[in-house]
Amino acid sequence: MTNGGRVVIITGSSSGIGKASAILLASQGWRVVVNCSSSVAAANAVVDEIKTNGGQAIVVQADVGKDEECKKLVDKAIEAFGRLDAVVNNAGTTKFNAHTNLRGLSTEDFLRIYSVNVVAPYNMVKYAEPHLRSAGNAAVVMVSSIAGVMGVGSSIAYAASKGALNTMTLSLARNLGPEIRVNAVCPGFIEGEWLRNGLGDKAYEAARNNYISTTPLRATVTAEEVAECVAFFCSSASKVTGEVMMIDAGTHLGSAPAKAR
């Protein structure tokens, strides 16, 4: 497939949803800017995989939690490819802390989490805006979380940051049309090392089993499944903006009734 050489920046794309989105969009003909803050070897591996399969990609190391690094990331994309058609704001961070433990989060924790999860997506859009408007039918995709809809997740600070990201999605969508569409995806429990490392093996398996036994679709979510939704918003959803799509096997609906025996 080809997309006329369109270009996408995907923040935090050395692993997880970002990596899956980079590989999928590259397979659809997009030229991909793979971003990482520190895991350069992993980012290079993503680019190597894309190139092996005939795609085009580069790595730009940048800490999107810093304003000037967001500008650098956009500038490097334009320098390499001469245009920009989509930005996927996937980079995120958290602190795992029980919601009942209010003393477990400091002001510094909140500011760090917000700097990456909320301020960075804003700055990326701010610097990308003129290039996206020039491209026309451009897309911004926010990788959010059902934490921002339900007030659950790794910590209250994380949930609050994703709620803010969802609200910002609506504000940007209202103001950046008609040239730029802005949408968000809100995954539920995502299979993978990020959650496993944060929760620990025992808690991870317990949470996974709980989702599989209680969600309406009796399932968790994979990074590749989220990437399909990211690609939809980038490529196909030409009349969709301001949408906050939940990809959570129905978690937001509450526990499903027990199966009849």
Side-chain angles (χ1 to χ4, degrees):
M1 295 179 64
T2 181
N3 265 320
R6 287 189 284 179
V7 177
V8 58
I9 295 172
I10 306 175
T11 66
S13 44
S14 63
S15 63
I17 294 170
K19 174 183 176 179
S21 298
I23 291 169
L24 177 58
L25 286 167
S27 75
Q28 296 175 349
W30 287 77
R31 294 177 287 174
V32 182
V33 179
V34 175
N35 161 250
C36 66
S37 60
S38 58
S39 50
V40 178
N44 281 326
V46 175
V47 168
D48 289 344
E49 181 172 347
I50 289 171
K51 289 182 175 179
T52 297
N53 291 304
Q56 297 182 60
I58 63 168
V59 172
V60 178
Q61 184 179 7
D63 179 357
V64 295
K66 299 176 181 177
D67 184 293
E68 67 276 10
E69 295 280 286
C70 292
K71 184 178 186 300
K72 180 184 85 170
L73 179 51
V74 172
D75 289 346
K76 290 289 186 181
I78 298 301
E79 179 183 317
F81 295 123
R83 62 181 293 164
L84 183 60
D85 300 83
V87 174
V88 178
N89 284 307
N90 169 74
T93 191
T94 192
K95 179 178 180 178
F96 284 82
N97 180 71
H99 285 218
T100 54
N101 179 24
L102 299 187
R103 293 184 180 274
L105 290 172
S106 66
T107 297
E108 289 71 24
D109 291 328
F110 268 88
L111 293 176
R112 178 180 60 84
I113 290 168
Y114 265 69
S115 72
V116 176
N117 295 2
V118 185
V119 181
Y122 181 86
N123 283 334
M124 286 300 302
V125 175
K126 176 177 69 179
Y127 291 119
E129 178 190 6
H131 307 292
L132 295 173
R133 287 197 187 278
S134 295
N137 191 29
V140 172
V141 183
M142 309 293 194
V143 178
S144 184
S145 169
I146 61 162
V149 177
M150 299 180 66
V152 296
S154 53
S155 68
I156 288 177
Y158 178 80
S161 73
K162 293 300 187 178
L165 183 61
N166 292 345
T167 299
M168 189 167 72
T169 297
L170 305 183
S171 298
L172 291 172
R174 186 175 292 113
N175 289 285
L176 295 183
E179 299 90 354
I180 306 170
R181 298 173 287 106
V182 186
N183 296 287
V185 295
C186 292
F189 184 100
I190 303 171
E191 301 265 0
E193 293 307 306
W194 188 77
L195 268 181
R196 184 181 291 277
N197 291 339
L199 294 172
D201 288 340
K202 185 176 180 180
Y204 174 89
E205 291 299 336
R208 180 179 180 275
N209 292 336
N210 180 64
Y211 272 76
I212 290 172
S213 63
T214 61
T215 57
L217 296 185
R218 300 295 196 273
T220 56
V221 180
T222 67
E224 290 72 22
E225 289 165 340
V226 179
E228 291 174 1
C229 297
V230 170
F232 166 72
F233 280 135
C234 285
S235 302
S236 304
S238 62
K239 297 297 189 295
V240 181
T241 196
E243 182 65 29
V244 178
M245 177 190 288
M246 284 174 277
I247 312 158
D248 64 348
T251 302
H252 66 282
L253 300 173
S255 295
K259 293 182 179 179
R261 298 191 176 186

